[in-house]
Amino acid sequence: MEWLSNQNHVLLALLATLTTWALTALGASMVFFFKEINQRILNTMLGFAAGVMIAASFWSLLAPAIDMAEDSFLPAWLVAAIGFVGGAAFLGLADKIIPHTHFNSKEGENEGISTKLRRSILLVFSITLHNIPEGLAVGVAFGAVANGINDISIMSAVAVAIGIGIQNFPEGAAVSIPLRREGLSRKKSFFYGQASGVVEPIAGVIGALAVTFIRPILPYALAFAAGAMIFVVVEELIPEAQSGNHKSTHLATAGCIIGFAVMMILDVALG
């Protein structure tokens, strides 16, 4: 029965991340209604996404990781630090290896290994990197529930999924509409936009399975997901959100504050 219960939580993680992927696709569908996206709106969207990820990193991942690590033979702060730095290092390595580019990058200003892939594909790879830690965060949260951790209830895991899903909607639009501006058709722009979220269910299942059957890694896994998400925020979202004139950057800052508040409210209210 315990094994069946664990499997149920893996299934819930899969369903939750399929939902966040669906919200990415819903956001990407905005390309059928709009060809352009105002810079201020784009910056606000990116700022909002950053705020949600920062709040989720602390309230839903890092704080519970520290509480769980109290029973570890290592100091709790060291366990959290190891996982947190490990998550950031993992994304940092992926950032160096996986070829990608950013919306504000000029032609030829690509990152990762050298490639001749089209700029549109490299843009999708960039957003896909964002979604790896998001999927892991949801999966690890549901895995923690399967382990009977008092600090994380099923509603806390649901709150993580809701928060990630909310910020995935504008993120999907922030991918597909600029791709349309790059010259792709509406259908291709939508396809690539929603495809950037495919990695979330994969990462979610991996995260849930790992912590469900290897209980001692749970606090490390939670902190790992937090570190990876913060890396994305600092390396990708905030710099892109702060591009443009002062008015658009102010809106990005406001979006970040609102996103943080929304995720904090969700986590505290549902958790």
Side-chain angles (χ1 to χ4, degrees):
M1 291 301 292
E2 181 181 355
W3 182 86
L4 180 62
S5 176
N6 288 344
Q7 294 305 300
N8 284 338
H9 287 90
V10 174
L11 177 61
L12 286 175
L14 175 61
L15 292 175
T17 46
L18 284 173
T19 301
T20 60
W21 176 21
L23 286 168
T24 301
L26 186 62
S29 70
M30 294 297 102
V31 75
F32 293 111
F33 305 99
F34 306 99
K35 184 176 180 179
E36 297 285 340
I37 182 168
N38 184 277
Q39 185 67 43
R40 296 183 183 181
I41 295 176
L42 177 60
N43 286 11
T44 304
M45 288 178 174
L46 293 172
F48 181 87
V52 168
M53 292 177 70
I54 292 171
S57 296
F58 176 75
W59 294 98
S60 304
L61 299 171
L62 198 56
I66 294 172
D67 290 338
M68 292 174 205
E70 292 294 341
D71 296 329
S72 173
F73 68 93
L74 292 176
W77 58 265
L78 181 57
V79 171
I82 290 172
F84 187 83
V85 173
F90 171 78
L91 257 291
L93 180 61
D95 191 65
K96 296 294 183 183
I97 295 175
I98 298 176
H100 64 284
T101 191
H102 306 291
F103 292 114
N104 295 318
S105 299
K106 297 179 182 179
E107 192 68 33
E109 291 183 347
N110 304 330
E111 297 184 28
I113 61 175
S114 179
T115 180
K116 293 184 179 179
L117 290 173
R118 294 176 57 185
R119 174 177 164 81
S120 57
I121 301 297
L122 297 177
L123 288 170
V124 174
F125 282 177
S126 176
I127 302 300
T128 301
L129 279 174
H130 297 183
N131 291 328
I132 293 174
E134 294 172 11
L136 280 174
V138 176
V140 169
F142 278 98
V145 176
N147 276 281
I149 303 302
N150 294 330
D151 300 299
I152 297 186
S153 66
I154 188 68
M155 291 310 297
S156 294
V158 170
V160 176
I162 292 175
I164 297 298
I166 289 173
Q167 66 95 30
N168 273 2
F169 178 83
E171 194 172 72
V175 178
S176 64
I177 295 177
L179 287 177
R180 172 64 174 158
R181 193 171 61 236
E182 292 279 329
L184 273 69
S185 67
R186 293 184 189 276
K187 288 184 178 180
K188 283 188 176 181
S189 297
F190 167 75
F191 175 79
Y192 288 138
Q194 63 82 32
S196 68
V198 172
V199 72
E200 286 194 8
I202 299 172
V205 169
I206 291 174
L209 281 172
V211 301
T212 296
F213 294 107
I214 312 175
R215 168 65 178 82
I217 73 167
L218 183 51
Y220 294 95
L222 286 167
F224 182 96
M229 289 178 70
I230 293 298
F231 179 92
V232 168
V233 170
V234 177
E235 175 76 8
E236 311 283 354
L237 293 181
I238 289 179
E240 291 186 22
Q242 290 295 317
S243 63
N245 57 42
H246 289 299
K247 290 184 178 180
S248 62
T249 59
H250 289 333
L251 288 173
T253 301
C256 183
I257 298 299
I258 294 171
F260 185 97
V262 167
M263 186 64 226
M264 179 180 65
I265 292 169
L266 280 173
D267 190 87
V268 175
L270 295 181

